[in-house]
PDB file of all heavy atoms in Angstrom:
ATOM      1  N   VAL A  32      -7.491 -21.258  16.531  1.00 42.00           N
ATOM      2  CA  VAL A  32      -7.817 -20.186  15.564  1.00 42.00           C
ATOM      3  C   VAL A  32      -6.565 -19.710  14.889  1.00 42.00           C
ATOM      4  O   VAL A  32      -6.483 -19.551  13.606  1.00 42.00           O
ATOM      5  CB  VAL A  32      -8.591 -18.962  16.220  1.00 42.00           C
ATOM      6  CG1 VAL A  32      -8.802 -17.836  15.262  1.00 42.00           C
ATOM      7  CG2 VAL A  32      -9.904 -19.525  16.744  1.00 42.00           C
ATOM      8  N   ILE A  33      -5.447 -19.518  15.770  1.00 46.00           N
ATOM      9  CA  ILE A  33      -4.170 -19.057  15.233  1.00 46.00           C
ATOM     10  C   ILE A  33      -3.643 -19.991  14.172  1.00 46.00           C
ATOM     11  O   ILE A  33      -3.140 -19.774  13.104  1.00 46.00           O
ATOM     12  CB  ILE A  33      -3.135 -18.908  16.358  1.00 46.00           C
ATOM     13  CG1 ILE A  33      -3.766 -17.701  17.236  1.00 46.00           C
ATOM     14  CG2 ILE A  33      -1.797 -18.475  15.709  1.00 46.00           C
ATOM     15  CD1 ILE A  33      -3.877 -16.383  16.598  1.00 46.00           C
ATOM     16  N   LYS A  34      -3.761 -21.330  14.445  1.00 59.00           N
ATOM     17  CA  LYS A  34      -3.362 -22.411  13.583  1.00 59.00           C
ATOM     18  C   LYS A  34      -4.084 -22.381  12.231  1.00 59.00           C
ATOM     19  O   LYS A  34      -3.585 -22.520  11.231  1.00 59.00           O
ATOM     20  CB  LYS A  34      -3.516 -23.770  14.234  1.00 59.00           C
ATOM     21  CG  LYS A  34      -3.034 -24.890  13.505  1.00 59.00           C
ATOM     22  CD  LYS A  34      -3.202 -26.227  14.116  1.00 59.00           C
ATOM     23  CE  LYS A  34      -2.717 -27.499  13.383  1.00 59.00           C
ATOM     24  NZ  LYS A  34      -2.905 -28.774  14.101  1.00 59.00           N
ATOM     25  N   GLN A  35      -5.455 -22.038  12.322  1.00 62.00           N
ATOM     26  CA  GLN A  35      -6.246 -22.010  11.082  1.00 62.00           C
ATOM     27  C   GLN A  35      -5.804 -20.810  10.305  1.00 62.00           C
ATOM     28  O   GLN A  35      -5.738 -20.918   9.042  1.00 62.00           O
ATOM     29  CB  GLN A  35      -7.680 -21.809  11.531  1.00 62.00           C
ATOM     30  CG  GLN A  35      -8.304 -22.927  12.122  1.00 62.00           C
ATOM     31  CD  GLN A  35      -9.798 -22.773  12.490  1.00 62.00           C
ATOM     32  OE1 GLN A  35     -10.134 -21.697  12.921  1.00 62.00           O
ATOM     33  NE2 GLN A  35     -10.681 -23.774  12.320  1.00 62.00           N
ATOM     34  N   LEU A  36      -5.380 -19.767  10.898  1.00 54.00           N
ATOM     35  CA  LEU A  36      -4.934 -18.572  10.224  1.00 54.00           C
ATOM     36  C   LEU A  36      -3.651 -18.943   9.464  1.00 54.00           C
ATOM     37  O   LEU A  36      -3.437 -18.595   8.321  1.00 54.00           O
ATOM     38  CB  LEU A  36      -4.671 -17.398  11.132  1.00 54.00           C
ATOM     39  CG  LEU A  36      -5.856 -16.897  11.986  1.00 54.00           C
ATOM     40  CD1 LEU A  36      -5.477 -15.677  12.833  1.00 54.00           C
ATOM     41  CD2 LEU A  36      -6.987 -16.410  10.959  1.00 54.00           C
ATOM     42  N   LYS A  37      -2.768 -19.527  10.103  1.00 60.00           N
ATOM     43  CA  LYS A  37      -1.388 -19.913   9.485  1.00 60.00           C
ATOM     44  C   LYS A  37      -1.677 -20.871   8.388  1.00 60.00           C
ATOM     45  O   LYS A  37      -1.019 -20.826   7.179  1.00 60.00           O
ATOM     46  CB  LYS A  37      -0.483 -20.516  10.506  1.00 60.00           C
ATOM     47  CG  LYS A  37      -0.103 -19.439  11.521  1.00 60.00           C
ATOM     48  CD  LYS A  37       0.936 -20.066  12.523  1.00 60.00           C
ATOM     49  CE  LYS A  37       1.394 -18.964  13.606  1.00 60.00           C
ATOM     50  NZ  LYS A  37       2.240 -19.613  14.530  1.00 60.00           N
ATOM     51  N   GLN A  38      -2.530 -21.821   8.576  1.00 71.00           N
ATOM     52  CA  GLN A  38      -2.740 -22.808   7.422  1.00 71.00           C
ATOM     53  C   GLN A  38      -3.381 -22.156   6.199  1.00 71.00           C
ATOM     54  O   GLN A  38      -3.027 -22.443   5.145  1.00 71.00           O
ATOM     55  CB  GLN A  38      -3.646 -24.010   7.977  1.00 71.00           C
ATOM     56  CG  GLN A  38      -2.869 -24.814   9.033  1.00 71.00           C
ATOM     57  CD  GLN A  38      -3.755 -25.885   9.583  1.00 71.00           C
ATOM     58  OE1 GLN A  38      -5.018 -25.780   9.601  1.00 71.00           O
ATOM     59  NE2 GLN A  38      -3.260 -26.989  10.230  1.00 71.00           N
ATOM     60  N   ALA A  39      -4.311 -21.345   6.455  1.00 72.00           N
ATOM     61  CA  ALA A  39      -5.119 -20.588   5.343  1.00 72.00           C
ATOM     62  C   ALA A  39      -4.137 -19.655   4.710  1.00 72.00           C
ATOM     63  O   ALA A  39      -4.093 -19.635   3.486  1.00 72.00           O
ATOM     64  CB  ALA A  39      -6.260 -19.892   6.011  1.00 72.00           C
ATOM     65  N   GLY A  40      -3.290 -19.042   5.385  1.00 68.00           N
ATOM     66  CA  GLY A  40      -2.393 -18.116   4.827  1.00 68.00           C
ATOM     67  C   GLY A  40      -1.369 -18.790   3.941  1.00 68.00           C
ATOM     68  O   GLY A  40      -0.960 -18.383   2.869  1.00 68.00           O
ATOM     69  N   ASP A  41      -0.841 -20.035   4.286  1.00 70.00           N
ATOM     70  CA  ASP A  41      -0.071 -20.850   3.487  1.00 70.00           C
ATOM     71  C   ASP A  41      -0.701 -21.242   2.218  1.00 70.00           C
ATOM     72  O   ASP A  41      -0.096 -21.304   1.161  1.00 70.00           O
ATOM     73  CB  ASP A  41       0.487 -22.080   4.242  1.00 70.00           C
ATOM     74  CG  ASP A  41       1.513 -22.725   3.447  1.00 70.00           C
ATOM     75  OD1 ASP A  41       2.638 -22.113   3.314  1.00 70.00           O
ATOM     76  OD2 ASP A  41       1.382 -23.894   3.059  1.00 70.00           O
ATOM     77  N   SER A  42      -2.065 -21.435   2.224  1.00 76.00           N
ATOM     78  CA  SER A  42      -2.795 -21.852   1.079  1.00 76.00           C
ATOM     79  C   SER A  42      -2.986 -20.700   0.092  1.00 76.00           C
ATOM     80  O   SER A  42      -2.900 -20.957  -1.094  1.00 76.00           O
ATOM     81  CB  SER A  42      -4.179 -22.363   1.501  1.00 76.00           C
ATOM     82  OG  SER A  42      -4.046 -23.600   2.266  1.00 76.00           O
ATOM     83  N   ILE A  43      -3.256 -19.549   0.490  1.00 73.00           N
ATOM     84  CA  ILE A  43      -3.302 -18.443  -0.329  1.00 73.00           C
ATOM     85  C   ILE A  43      -1.958 -18.101  -1.003  1.00 73.00           C
ATOM     86  O   ILE A  43      -1.902 -17.601  -2.197  1.00 73.00           O
ATOM     87  CB  ILE A  43      -3.870 -17.133   0.202  1.00 73.00           C
ATOM     88  CG1 ILE A  43      -4.387 -16.107  -0.702  1.00 73.00           C
ATOM     89  CG2 ILE A  43      -2.859 -16.606   1.312  1.00 73.00           C
ATOM     90  CD1 ILE A  43      -5.195 -15.044  -0.090  1.00 73.00           C
ATOM     91  N   LEU A  44      -0.914 -18.404  -0.442  1.00 71.00           N
ATOM     92  CA  LEU A  44       0.494 -18.136  -1.053  1.00 71.00           C
ATOM     93  C   LEU A  44       0.921 -19.343  -1.854  1.00 71.00           C
ATOM     94  O   LEU A  44       1.352 -19.081  -2.984  1.00 71.00           O
ATOM     95  CB  LEU A  44       1.369 -17.893   0.198  1.00 71.00           C
ATOM     96  CG  LEU A  44       2.863 -17.833  -0.219  1.00 71.00           C
ATOM     97  CD1 LEU A  44       3.135 -16.710  -1.185  1.00 71.00           C
ATOM     98  CD2 LEU A  44       3.772 -17.747   0.988  1.00 71.00           C
ATOM     99  N   ARG A  45       0.700 -20.678  -1.367  1.00 75.00           N
ATOM    100  CA  ARG A  45       1.261 -21.696  -2.075  1.00 75.00           C
ATOM    101  C   ARG A  45       0.245 -22.636  -2.544  1.00 75.00           C
ATOM    102  O   ARG A  45       0.556 -23.783  -2.845  1.00 75.00           O
ATOM    103  CB  ARG A  45       2.314 -22.372  -0.998  1.00 75.00           C
ATOM    104  CG  ARG A  45       3.428 -21.488  -0.445  1.00 75.00           C
ATOM    105  CD  ARG A  45       4.281 -22.279   0.428  1.00 75.00           C
ATOM    106  NE  ARG A  45       5.206 -21.433   1.046  1.00 75.00           N
ATOM    107  CZ  ARG A  45       6.326 -20.956   0.558  1.00 75.00           C
ATOM    108  NH1 ARG A  45       6.607 -21.489  -0.708  1.00 75.00           N
ATOM    109  NH2 ARG A  45       7.163 -20.270   1.021  1.00 75.00           N
ATOM    110  N   GLY A  46      -0.941 -22.081  -2.836  1.00 77.00           N
ATOM    111  CA  GLY A  46      -2.060 -22.967  -3.488  1.00 77.00           C
ATOM    112  C   GLY A  46      -1.474 -23.627  -4.688  1.00 77.00           C
ATOM    113  O   GLY A  46      -0.725 -23.077  -5.494  1.00 77.00           O
ATOM    114  N   SER A  47      -1.985 -24.895  -4.926  1.00 86.00           N
ATOM    115  CA  SER A  47      -1.470 -25.647  -6.122  1.00 86.00           C
ATOM    116  C   SER A  47      -1.714 -25.089  -7.538  1.00 86.00           C
ATOM    117  O   SER A  47      -1.083 -25.269  -8.365  1.00 86.00           O
ATOM    118  CB  SER A  47      -2.025 -27.011  -5.999  1.00 86.00           C
ATOM    119  OG  SER A  47      -3.412 -26.999  -6.050  1.00 86.00           O
ATOM    120  N   ASN A  48      -2.919 -24.203  -7.356  1.00 89.00           N
ATOM    121  CA  ASN A  48      -3.120 -23.380  -8.649  1.00 89.00           C
ATOM    122  C   ASN A  48      -3.874 -22.145  -8.187  1.00 89.00           C
ATOM    123  O   ASN A  48      -4.265 -21.912  -7.086  1.00 89.00           O
ATOM    124  CB  ASN A  48      -4.127 -24.302  -9.604  1.00 89.00           C
ATOM    125  CG  ASN A  48      -5.370 -24.737  -8.852  1.00 89.00           C
ATOM    126  OD1 ASN A  48      -6.102 -23.992  -8.408  1.00 89.00           O
ATOM    127  ND2 ASN A  48      -5.463 -26.082  -8.887  1.00 89.00           N
ATOM    128  N   ASP A  49      -4.179 -21.386  -9.242  1.00 90.00           N
ATOM    129  CA  ASP A  49      -4.700 -19.897  -8.933  1.00 90.00           C
ATOM    130  C   ASP A  49      -6.152 -20.180  -8.462  1.00 90.00           C
ATOM    131  O   ASP A  49      -6.673 -19.245  -7.669  1.00 90.00           O
ATOM    132  CB  ASP A  49      -4.711 -18.991 -10.123  1.00 90.00           C
ATOM    133  CG  ASP A  49      -3.234 -18.621 -10.473  1.00 90.00           C
ATOM    134  OD1 ASP A  49      -2.412 -18.607  -9.483  1.00 90.00           O
ATOM    135  OD2 ASP A  49      -2.998 -18.202 -11.619  1.00 90.00           O
TER     136      ASP A  49
END
Side-chain angles (χ1 to χ4, degrees):
V32 174
I33 298 300
K34 183 178 180 180
Q35 290 177 325
L36 299 179
K37 292 180 179 179
Q38 290 175 341
D41 189 65
S42 294
I43 196 173
L44 170 61
R45 302 182 186 278
S47 58
N48 56 60
D49 288 340

